[in-house]
Amino acid sequence: MVLAAVFAVLQLANITGRDTPDTKNYLSYALSLRGENKHDAAALTIDYVCAGKASIARRNQSVNVVHFHRPSPTKRVMEECRRDQWWGVSKRLAAGETAGHTVPFMPLRFMRIFEVRPGYPALLVPFITVLGVKWGLWASSVLITVAGGVLAFLVLRTLRAPTVAALSGQALFYVLPCGTTAMRPMTEGLLLTLTLAALWGCALVLEGRARAGTWLVGGSLALLFTVKHSHALFLGLCLAGACAVIGVRRGGPRRPLRGLTGPLRTLATVAGCAAVAAVAVAKVLHYPSESESLQDLLTAHFSRPDRTHLWSEFLHLELSFWVEWLRRQFWEPLFLTTLVAAAWGALRRRPAFAAFLLAVAFTGALNQAGHPDINIWGDRLIVLAWLLPVVGLPLLLEGVVRPRVEASGTVPGPLKRHTEVAR
């Protein structure tokens, strides 16, 4: 709780200026759920976005070695931003584009993608109602990020890691890019937190608390569908695949089912059914298809004519993207280095759980593969891969911490049920 409180206090340094282009879509959705009409929702959203831009412009000028002595640009930036934002929104509202919950900042085909993600806007409603837009978005982001760090701690303690290692995992969640991204007012923070909740459920299953763990995984996948249904599909498939890997490792490739205990079979069934349900429900509710998502990518948010050779162009872009991505990672190899070290720590200390941890990290790669755009801000699409270092590095540290703790005569970690531990 002390770590969480310190993190929350530090976030007071940046109340505004955290928003991304997606923020205004989610915020206008939440305002609509609160009962605002389209014009009022647009006004509140635009004011919030423009205030953030003005704040960034003022701070940048204050440290500019040439222009630091000039008057504050806040008023000018606010006026220009409002004029630019209202120009497109006013035209679309006048043309009758008032369907759905979001304000039409972009063409309807693009806004449809956000219409099928009600989970995050619904979470925002009580915060912006009680605290207002600015402080409501900040408080909700702090709560989501703090919860993610606490879940990282609980995952490691469930695996019987020492308290120091578990606290290290919580701290890593806050200081690595996953914490920075979670503080942005968009869905990625909630995705990270719910994914960690599912990972905690997997740890509970492995430690003998099968019923609680399975319910936690199922509930997390159900909530993830409301936040971003594609991630619920990816996570369900990857967790089911992790169960299959554990079965092959324990029972051999010819009899993988013999290597799975009853709880793991149940977990695999729940994860697999969740993936199938995500596809089926999306079809029934007429969610945007994968081809529509690719058209959005390749036409710059439907600002250009639809592509005729959709998949061939997408695969060509996919290959080029990963070549360039790897080139940049080799240039600054911090990300790849931490991934390798974390994977080694998890595989060495908790091989069964490592299958689930690697599966969770792989969902980040799948998410990035679905959007091979090198210009998207901050590698936020692959941010779920940072959960591997969050949990894996403390497990690597455990090999150093545990001998010292045991030498002092204290047995670390919670006791297993029906087990007596002697000094």
Side-chain angles (χ1 to χ4, degrees):
M1 297 307 295
V2 171
L3 275 178
V6 170
F7 173 80
V9 170
L10 293 178
Q11 302 317 300
L12 290 169
N14 293 278
I15 307 299
T16 59
R18 297 179 184 267
D19 56 287
T20 70
D22 290 349
T23 298
K24 57 179 179 287
N25 302 318
Y26 295 118
L27 176 55
S28 65
Y29 197 137
L31 290 168
S32 177
L33 292 177
R34 195 180 71 171
E36 304 288 346
N37 58 44
K38 285 289 188 295
H39 186 276
D40 292 342
L44 290 170
T45 302
I46 290 173
D47 285 348
Y48 173 79
V49 171
C50 292
K53 289 185 176 181
S55 175
I56 292 174
R58 178 185 56 79
R59 297 200 303 264
N60 288 342
Q61 181 176 299
S62 68
V63 293
N64 188 291
V65 295
V66 177
H67 305 303
F68 65 91
H69 60 282
R70 292 185 178 180
S72 173
T74 300
K75 182 178 180 181
R76 174 180 56 82
V77 173
M78 283 287 293
E79 292 175 352
E80 292 176 354
C81 176
R82 284 171 174 162
R83 182 172 60 252
D84 293 341
Q85 293 291 333
W86 275 111
W87 182 79
V89 172
S90 298
K91 286 202 313 181
R92 295 188 179 96
L93 290 177
E97 297 182 14
T98 57
H101 292 91
T102 56
V103 171
F105 291 101
M106 295 286 284
L108 286 178
R109 288 177 68 186
F110 178 71
M111 301 308 297
R112 174 65 178 159
I113 296 173
F114 295 91
E115 288 287 339
V116 299
R117 301 175 182 176
Y120 180 62
L123 176 67
L124 293 180
V125 172
F127 290 94
I128 63 177
T129 300
V130 175
L131 301 175
V133 171
K134 182 177 76 171
W135 286 101
L137 285 176
W138 178 86
S140 63
S141 297
V142 169
L143 179 64
I144 290 170
T145 311
V146 163
V150 172
L151 283 168
F153 174 87
L154 291 174
V155 168
L156 289 162
R157 288 297 285 166
T158 300
L159 295 172
R160 291 171 288 112
T163 304
V164 173
L167 289 173
S168 299
Q170 181 181 359
L172 283 172
F173 183 84
Y174 296 148
V175 302
L176 289 177
C178 46
T180 305
T181 304
M183 277 301 300
R184 298 273 181 176
M186 53 185 182
T187 56
E188 274 70 17
L190 198 51
L191 288 179
L192 285 162
T193 298
L194 290 175
T195 302
L196 275 170
L199 192 61
W200 184 27
C202 297
L204 289 172
V205 170
L206 291 175
E207 292 300 313
R209 299 178 62 183
R211 180 175 297 181
T214 303
W215 275 103
L216 187 56
V217 171
S220 299
L221 288 170
L223 290 174
L224 279 170
F225 182 85
T226 68
V227 178
K228 193 175 182 182
H229 66 279
S230 61
H231 184 65
L233 168 62
F234 294 155
L235 185 59
L237 289 175
C238 288
L239 292 182
C243 292
V245 170
I246 294 174
V248 170
R249 180 177 175 272
R250 292 178 176 177
R254 294 184 178 180
R255 296 180 178 180
L257 291 179
R258 294 188 61 181
L260 289 179
T261 60
L264 284 175
R265 291 185 187 183
T266 303
L267 179 60
T269 302
V270 169
C273 290
V276 173
V279 176
V281 175
K283 291 289 185 183
V284 171
L285 297 179
H286 303 291
Y287 280 12
S289 63
E290 62 277 4
S291 61
E292 188 74 355
S293 179
L294 297 186
Q295 290 288 4
D296 167 54
L297 172 72
L298 297 174
T299 61
H301 305 316
F302 305 108
S303 61
R304 300 177 181 179
D306 283 5
R307 303 285 189 174
T308 54
H309 304 289
L310 185 63
W311 285 100
S312 61
E313 292 187 4
F314 172 73
L315 293 175
H316 178 82
L317 177 63
E318 189 80 45
L319 177 61
S320 300
F321 170 84
W322 287 111
V323 171
E324 175 62 17
W325 186 86
L326 283 172
R327 187 192 68 80
R328 297 188 183 190
Q329 296 304 317
F330 292 153
W331 185 11
E332 300 180 49
L334 175 63
F335 183 38
L336 294 181
T337 302
T338 54
L339 288 181
V340 172
W344 170 251
L347 288 168
R348 187 178 176 213
R349 306 296 301 185
R350 303 290 191 283
F353 178 76
F356 293 113
L357 182 58
L358 290 170
V360 164
F362 187 62
T363 61
L366 288 176
N367 193 32
Q368 180 70 78
H371 306 79
D373 185 353
I374 204 71
N375 297 315
I376 291 181
W377 165 86
D379 295 329
R380 64 182 176 87
L381 294 175
I382 204 171
V383 70
L384 287 154
W386 281 103
L387 294 181
L388 177 56
V390 166
V391 180
L393 290 180
L395 291 177
L396 187 63
L397 174 68
E398 181 188 22
V400 178
V401 175
R402 186 178 292 276
R404 295 181 179 179
V405 176
E406 290 180 346
S408 68
T410 304
V411 180
L415 303 183
K416 282 188 173 181
R417 187 178 298 176
H418 309 307
T419 302
E420 293 182 359
V421 181
R423 289 182 180 270

